[in-house]
Amino acid sequence: MVDLIYQLFPYAIAFTIPLLITSLGGLFSERSGVINIGLEGLMLMGMFVGAFTITRIEMTNPATAVWIGLLAAVFFGALFALLHAFACVTLNANQVISGIAINMIASAVTVYLARLITGSGNVQIIRGMSRVTIPILSEIPVLGRLLFTQTYATTWLVLFILAFATFLLYKTRFGLRLRACGEHPHAADSAGVNVYLMRYMAVMISGACAGLGGATFIVTLSGEFNGTAAGLGFLALAALIFGQWKPWGILGATFFFGFASTIANVSQVIPVLSQIPGIYLKTFPYVITLIALVLSSKSSQAPKAVGEPYDKGKR
Amino acid sequence: MNHIVEMVDIRKEFPGVVACDDITFKVKKGEIHALLGENGAGKSTLMNILFGLYQQDSGSIYLRGDKVSITNPNIANDLGIGMVHQHFKLVHNFTVTENIILGLEPTKAFMINTRSAFARISDLSKQYGLNVDPDALISDISVGMQQRVEILKMLYRDAEILIFDEPTAVLTPQEVQEMMKIMRGLIDEGKTIILITHKLREIMAIADRCTVIRWGKVVGTVNTEDTSEEKLAEMMVGRKVLFELNKKEAHPRKEILSIEELSVSGSAGRKGLKNFTLGVRCGEIVGLAGIDGNGQKELVEAIIGLRKADSGRIMLGDEDISTLSIRERIETGLAHIPEDRHKHGLVLDYTVQENMILKTYYREPYSSKGLLDWSFIYEHAENVIRDFDIRAGEGADSLARSLSGGNQQKAIVGREIDSNPDLLIAVQPTRGLDVGAIEYIHQRLLEQRDQGKAVFMISLELDEILDLSDRIAVIYNGELVDIVDADKTDENEIGLMMAGGKRGVAT
C-alpha cells in the first residue's frame, strides 16, 4: 500500500500542476470580476501552441525547445484571452456566453490549424520534459520520496508562481486594487482605480496561466495535441469554486482532483483497485466535485461583483 | 466674496429630462450649505457634476476663484473635493484601512505599507473624534461606522470641500445627533460642507445656508436663520404643505394578524428573525420601526410566503397561513405593497391593466374557462385609475414603465386596496416619492384603517411611522424590542429602541 502511494504520487502531482496553474489563472480573472468559463479553450490554445512550437524547433534546439514552447503558449494564451477581455470589459457582453464562445473558437481554430499542418489533426512532440530527482532533498525520509523524486521542473515553476501570485494578490497595490474591482468596482472607480484596465490585465493573466497549464500538460503527461483539453479547463474552474477563490484553497482542490484522477487512470494495473468497476473510479472525482460544489455553494466566497459588466453610470 | 465653490449656469440634460436647468450655486468657505429638493429635483445630478461623475452640457465651475474642468473623480480629489455617497462605496471584505488607502496605497519595497497608513488613519480618526477601528472588517461594523469610514476616506485624501449625499437616511436619531457633532467638528477644522437632503429639520438644525431646487431650477438661497421649516417646504414643493394628517381616533377591534414565536433564517450575511411575536388588530395601523437590515425583510417575506419560517405560527383571522402557498394567503385576505416597486410590485413592460390583474387574473370575472376577459380587465383598470388618481398618459393601456414613480406607487396601492384585504402590509410605501404623493398615500392608508381594516406598515422613515401608526413596534437584530402606543412615545425613545435599548432602560 505504501509502495503504491509512492508510485502514484509523482503522477498525481504531474496531473495536479496543469490544473493548478489554470485554476490560478481563473482566480485572477474572477477576483477582478470577470467569469472565465473559457479556461478550457485557453488551455487548448496553450496545448496547441506549445505542441506546435516544440515540433518546429526540437530538431534544431533540443535543449531549449520545451521551454520555448511553454513561453509561446503563455504568450498566445494571453493574446487569445484578450478577446474575452474585449467582449466582457469593453463591450459589456455576457461573460458566460463570451466564455463559451472562447471555448468553441479554440477547439475549431486549433483543430483546423492542426489538420492543415500535420494532415491528421494530431501534433506529436518527440521529447517532452524529463523528470529530475532533486539531490539532497530527496534523501529526506518519506517526504523526500513523495515530493522530491522524479519531479518536473514545471512543477517547481508553477508552485513558485502560486507563491508569487499569493504575494501579489494580498501584499501589493496591484492585488488590493484587483480584488476591489471584483468586489465593488464602483468603490474602486471612485478611489481612482481604472476598473477596465485592471480587468483587462486580470483576464490576460488568466489566459497566460491557462496557456501555460495546457502546454505543461503536453510536455509532461500527454506528449501530443489531439484537439481536446478533455474537460481539464472545466475541472480547473470547479477547483476554483471548490477552493473558494483562494490560492491555497485551489492548491488543495486541484491536488484532490489530481490524485483522484490518477487513481482512476491507473486502476487497471493495480490489483487492489482493479476489482472495483472502472466506471466508479473514473466518475469518482466528478461525483465528488458535484457534491463538493453543492455543499460549498451555501457559504460561497465568490467575489461579489463577478459576472457583472462594469457600468460607470449605474450606481 | 470668498466663495470656495461657484457653479454658474450649469445645465445637464438626460434623454427626455432636463436634470439641471441653468443652475447657479455658490458655497462660501467654512459653511454648511444645504441643498434641498424633492427626489428627482436635480440635486444629486448637480453634485455628481461637481464630483466629476457627470459632465455638464454647459456652464462653468470655479473653485477658489479659478475656473476648473472636472472630468473625473480623480480630478475632484486632487482639487480637494470629497463625497460621501448615499450608497457607500466600501469593499465589504476589506479592512477599514484597506478601504481608505485604496487607490493611494503607500508602498515599501512593492508591498503595501499598512503600518504608515494605519498611523495616519488613527490620527485623523482621533483628531475629528470619529472613533473608528482601522483594523475592523467593513462587514463587521455598523452602518453608522461605515459612514465614518467614508468620511475618513475624504480626510485621508485631504479634501476641503465635503459633499454628503443624504447622510442621515441610514442612521438612528441618536446617530444623527453624533453625525451633526462630527460635521461641526469638520467645520471647526476649516472644512466646507455641502449637505444634500430633503429633511427640513436637519437643515434648520445644522446648516448655515440652504439652496432650494425644484424641477432642475434654483428656487432660491436663504439663510436658515431667516427661514422656517414651513417656508422651506413651500419653496421645495411650490405650494403650502399640510404637516398634519387628517387622522381620526382609531377604533381597533379584534386581532386579525397574530405572529407567534416566529423564527426565520436570514439570507447569506443577514440576520434572521428570532422568536418574533406581534399582533395587529382590525382598525389600526401598526408601524414597525427599525434600522435597515434588522430582520424586516425576513419578517415581511415570511408573512407573505416568499420565505419559509423555521418555527412559529402566522395566524390571519382564525387560519394558520404559515404553511399556505402565496396565492392561498392572498385569497385569505392578505395584500402587500412591496418595498421595491420595480422589482416586486410591477412588471414594468406590462400595461397598467395587465399589472392590475397580476394577482387575480385566474379568477372570475377577469377570466373564464382559461381565457382572459380583456374588456372587463380594461374597465376594471380604468376604475382603479380613476379612484386612485393615477396619472397615466394612455390610461389603462400605458406601460407601467412610462408612469412616474409616484403614479407607479399609486397603481400598486390601488391594486392592493382594491382587492379589499383584511390586512394590508405596506413596506416603505412612500419611498422616493414627492410630498404630494406621500400625502395621498398616507391618507389612503388611514382610510383603510378607518374602514376597519388592519394595516401593518414597515418603514425606515421614523417620521412616517410616528405620523401614521397607532402602535409602534421596534425591531432590532431580528427581535422585537418593544411595542408602544404612538401617542405615548417620541422620536428619541423609538431611536433608542432602534439601537436595541429596552424601553425605560438607559443605554
Side-chain angles (χ1 to χ4, degrees):
Chain A
M1 193 65 198
V2 176
D3 264 355
L4 181 66
I5 290 176
Y6 280 139
Q7 275 173 13
L8 283 182
F9 228 76
Y11 290 98
I13 290 176
F15 198 84
T16 300
I17 291 303
L19 278 182
L20 173 59
I21 187 69
T22 306
S23 196
L24 192 63
L27 180 112
F28 272 94
S29 176
E30 302 220 340
R31 273 301 183 101
S32 82
V34 182
I35 295 176
N36 199 344
I37 270 190
L39 288 177
E40 175 92 357
L42 293 164
M43 228 179 155
L44 188 62
M45 190 51 97
M47 289 178 169
F48 172 74
V49 171
F52 176 70
T53 311
I54 294 168
T55 55
R56 291 287 118 158
I57 58 174
E58 63 187 343
M59 289 308 177
T60 49
N61 311 315
T64 52
V66 167
W67 290 103
I68 292 172
L70 290 173
L71 211 61
V74 166
F75 179 74
F76 278 93
L79 201 66
F80 192 45
L82 197 57
L83 206 60
H84 186 51
F86 181 69
C88 296
V89 182
T90 306
L91 301 181
N92 286 344
N94 181 307
Q95 300 174 0
V96 172
I97 292 177
S98 168
I100 292 172
I102 290 286
N103 289 337
M104 290 166 69
I105 296 171
S107 69
V109 165
T110 53
V111 169
Y112 173 74
L113 289 177
R115 290 230 169 128
L116 206 65
I117 292 160
T118 66
S120 75
N122 287 13
V123 183
Q124 201 158 11
I125 60 173
I126 300 167
R127 276 189 55 213
M129 184 162 278
S130 46
R131 290 180 177 268
V132 279
T133 297
I134 296 179
I136 307 169
L137 288 174
S138 58
E139 310 288 318
I140 302 171
V142 189
L143 278 184
R145 270 195 74 184
L146 285 178
L147 298 177
F148 299 108
T149 50
Q150 300 284 304
T151 64
Y152 290 115
T154 44
T155 300
W156 302 109
L157 174 69
V158 166
L159 289 176
F160 171 76
I161 294 175
L162 175 73
F164 180 71
T166 312
F167 171 78
L168 199 63
L169 278 170
Y170 293 101
K171 295 286 178 199
T172 68
R173 178 184 282 194
F174 175 79
L176 189 76
R177 293 179 177 187
L178 185 111
R179 287 183 289 132
C181 290
E183 298 290 346
H184 196 330
H186 289 288
D189 189 23
S190 73
V193 175
N194 186 337
V195 177
Y196 301 116
L197 183 67
M198 291 308 292
R199 289 191 168 176
Y200 258 95
M201 288 201 282
V203 173
M204 288 182 74
I205 291 174
S206 85
C209 288
L212 179 61
T216 303
F217 188 76
I218 293 285
V219 300
T220 56
L221 287 169
S222 79
E224 75 168 357
F225 165 85
N226 58 8
T228 167
L232 283 175
F234 290 116
L235 208 54
L237 198 65
L240 175 62
I241 298 166
F242 194 17
Q244 295 283 289
W245 291 267
K246 292 193 175 69
W248 300 100
I250 62 174
L251 176 66
T254 50
F255 183 72
F256 167 75
F257 289 146
F259 205 85
S261 302
T262 305
I263 288 179
N265 287 338
V266 301
S267 60
Q268 302 310 318
V269 293
I270 297 166
V272 193
L273 295 175
S274 58
Q275 291 154 14
I276 307 171
I279 186 149
Y280 290 122
L281 288 169
K282 285 238 150 81
T283 52
F284 172 71
Y286 302 98
V287 172
I288 293 290
T289 308
L290 270 178
I291 294 170
L293 289 182
V294 168
L295 291 181
S296 61
S297 68
K298 274 264 172 187
S299 59
S300 174
Q301 298 286 315
K304 272 207 165 153
V306 75
E308 286 173 26
Y310 178 57
D311 177 0
K312 255 181 188 291
K314 205 173 104 187
R315 58 188 97 248
Chain B
M1 291 294 273
N2 53 344
H3 284 135
I4 188 164
V5 178
E6 291 172 86
M7 301 179 80
V8 182
D9 292 335
I10 299 290
R11 187 174 185 84
K12 176 77 186 174
E13 293 181 26
F14 291 114
V17 247
V18 182
C20 297
D21 191 352
D22 298 333
I23 290 181
T24 296
F25 173 67
K26 295 179 178 181
V27 181
K28 289 180 193 158
K29 188 168 164 42
E31 71 171 345
I32 298 183
H33 194 125
L35 197 51
L36 174 68
E38 295 198 293
N39 283 292
K43 49 194 198 306
S44 287
T45 308
L46 186 69
M47 284 304 103
N48 282 333
I49 289 171
L50 181 59
F51 190 59
L53 287 166
Y54 296 143
Q55 269 67 58
Q56 68 270 29
D57 299 334
S58 66
S60 29
I61 302 174
Y62 300 88
L63 277 188
R64 305 173 189 89
D66 302 325
K67 187 168 179 181
V68 291
S69 143
I70 306 173
T71 49
N72 70 51
N74 289 345
I75 297 176
N77 272 330
D78 295 342
L79 292 169
I81 302 172
M83 184 160 177
V84 175
H85 300 270
Q86 196 173 356
H87 303 285
F88 303 149
K89 294 183 184 290
L90 297 171
V91 181
H92 72 112
N93 56 359
F94 280 16
T95 65
V96 168
T97 304
E98 285 173 330
N99 267 291
I100 292 171
I101 62 177
L102 183 65
L104 284 176
E105 308 84 350
T107 53
K108 200 168 152 190
F110 298 111
M111 291 206 280
I112 294 175
N113 188 353
T114 26
R115 187 165 303 163
S116 74
F118 184 92
R120 171 119 194 269
I121 291 165
S122 303
D123 286 349
L124 282 173
S125 172
K126 227 171 272 158
Q127 184 185 350
Y128 293 95
L130 295 175
N131 204 11
V132 170
D133 171 12
D135 274 335
L137 274 182
I138 293 298
S139 51
D140 291 343
I141 61 179
S142 69
V143 174
M145 218 30 122
Q146 289 177 10
Q147 191 166 49
R148 295 175 184 200
V149 176
E150 285 281 14
I151 297 173
L152 270 176
K153 229 159 108 181
M154 298 193 293
L155 297 173
Y156 188 82
R157 286 162 168 73
D158 294 319
E160 284 183 19
I161 302 153
L162 314 179
I163 308 168
F164 287 84
D165 190 356
E166 302 276 359
T168 57
V170 291
L171 304 179
T172 64
Q174 282 74 19
E175 284 177 314
V176 171
Q177 291 301 322
E178 271 184 62
M179 184 70 205
M180 289 188 175
K181 217 185 284 168
I182 291 170
M183 283 189 180
R184 289 200 188 93
L186 290 165
I187 294 297
D188 290 343
E189 299 277 338
K191 310 281 184 192
T192 305
I193 291 177
I194 301 172
L195 176 67
I196 305 175
T197 186
H198 64 261
K199 292 189 179 163
L200 304 167
R201 200 178 319 157
E202 282 161 18
I203 294 177
M204 297 307 293
I206 191 159
D208 301 306
R209 292 198 303 157
C210 175
T211 295
V212 185
I213 296 182
R214 187 169 74 230
W215 294 336
K217 288 197 170 89
V218 172
V219 181
T221 300
V222 290
N223 291 324
T224 45
E225 286 174 3
D226 311 332
T227 189
S228 66
E229 279 188 41
E230 286 75 18
K231 277 188 206 151
L232 284 176
E234 203 179 322
M235 285 172 82
M236 174 166 81
V237 187
R239 61 177 170 82
K240 287 235 181 267
V241 179
L242 294 171
F243 275 98
E244 288 293 308
L245 279 163
N246 179 16
K247 188 174 168 186
K248 298 179 207 120
E249 209 181 320
H251 299 288
R253 299 201 307 270
K254 66 174 176 42
E255 199 165 274
I256 177 90
L257 172 75
S258 330
I259 303 165
E260 295 165 13
E261 298 279 318
L262 186 69
S263 291
V264 183
S265 33
S267 1
R270 288 179 72 108
K271 296 161 199 131
L273 203 61
K274 280 168 269 171
N275 288 330
F276 193 89
T277 300
L278 181 70
V280 180
R281 292 171 294 180
C282 289
E284 71 169 353
I285 298 180
V286 172
L288 183 71
I291 305 166
D292 196 13
N294 272 288
Q296 294 97 323
K297 187 177 162 211
E298 285 76 8
L299 174 62
V300 170
E301 289 185 351
I303 299 175
I304 62 178
L306 283 171
R307 188 181 286 264
K308 236 177 92 91
D310 296 337
S311 64
R313 283 203 307 175
I314 306 165
M315 303 288 293
L316 189 64
D318 300 325
E319 199 165 353
D320 181 358
I321 61 167
S322 50
T323 54
L324 298 184
S325 72
I326 296 176
R327 178 175 286 178
E328 286 164 339
R329 293 182 201 212
I330 292 169
E331 285 172 348
T332 322
L334 191 66
H336 170 222
I337 300 170
E339 177 177 8
D340 187 331
R341 57 178 162 269
H342 290 167
K343 261 192 203 149
H344 302 122
L346 296 168
V347 180
L348 288 178
D349 291 314
Y350 275 14
T351 60
V352 171
Q353 54 176 331
E354 287 165 332
N355 271 296
M356 283 302 134
I357 54 161
L358 288 181
K359 291 179 169 174
T360 48
Y361 67 90
Y362 60 91
R363 242 189 261 163
E364 298 263 7
Y366 304 100
S367 65
S368 69
K369 302 186 182 71
L371 293 176
L372 294 167
D373 179 353
W374 282 110
S375 61
F376 184 85
I377 291 167
Y378 181 84
E379 218 170 287
H380 167 251
E382 285 289 338
N383 285 338
V384 176
I385 288 174
R386 203 173 42 246
D387 290 352
F388 287 84
D389 189 28
I390 301 164
R391 310 274 164 83
E394 296 160 62
D397 285 326
S398 322
L399 282 184
R401 191 182 289 286
S402 69
L403 270 57
S404 73
N407 283 305
Q408 289 175 346
Q409 190 72 358
K410 280 185 191 171
I412 296 174
V413 171
R415 177 181 72 206
E416 299 303 323
I417 290 182
D418 184 68
S419 71
N420 195 23
D422 297 328
L423 172 69
L424 177 63
I425 297 174
V427 189
Q428 297 260 64
T430 59
R431 189 169 77 156
L433 302 186
D434 59 63
V435 174
I438 292 176
E439 271 181 30
Y440 182 85
I441 287 171
H442 282 175
Q443 283 303 344
R444 295 306 294 230
L445 291 179
L446 282 173
E447 245 176 70
Q448 194 67 7
R449 174 196 85 162
D450 293 339
Q451 286 167 14
K453 309 288 188 180
V455 178
F456 184 34
M457 181 176 68
I458 293 93
S459 178
L460 303 176
E461 296 279 346
L462 198 44
D463 287 341
E464 179 168 76
I465 296 262
L466 285 162
D467 286 349
L468 277 184
S469 312
D470 300 308
R471 290 190 301 150
I472 300 173
V474 185
I475 190 170
Y476 175 73
N477 219 346
E479 290 176 80
L480 182 73
V481 180
D482 208 344
I483 181 157
V484 291
D485 288 336
D487 47 8
K488 294 189 191 106
T489 186
D490 58 22
E491 186 177 335
N492 243 332
E493 191 182 47
I494 299 287
L496 283 174
M497 291 199 286
M498 280 161 69
K502 283 272 178 200
R503 193 174 198 194
V505 182
T507 40

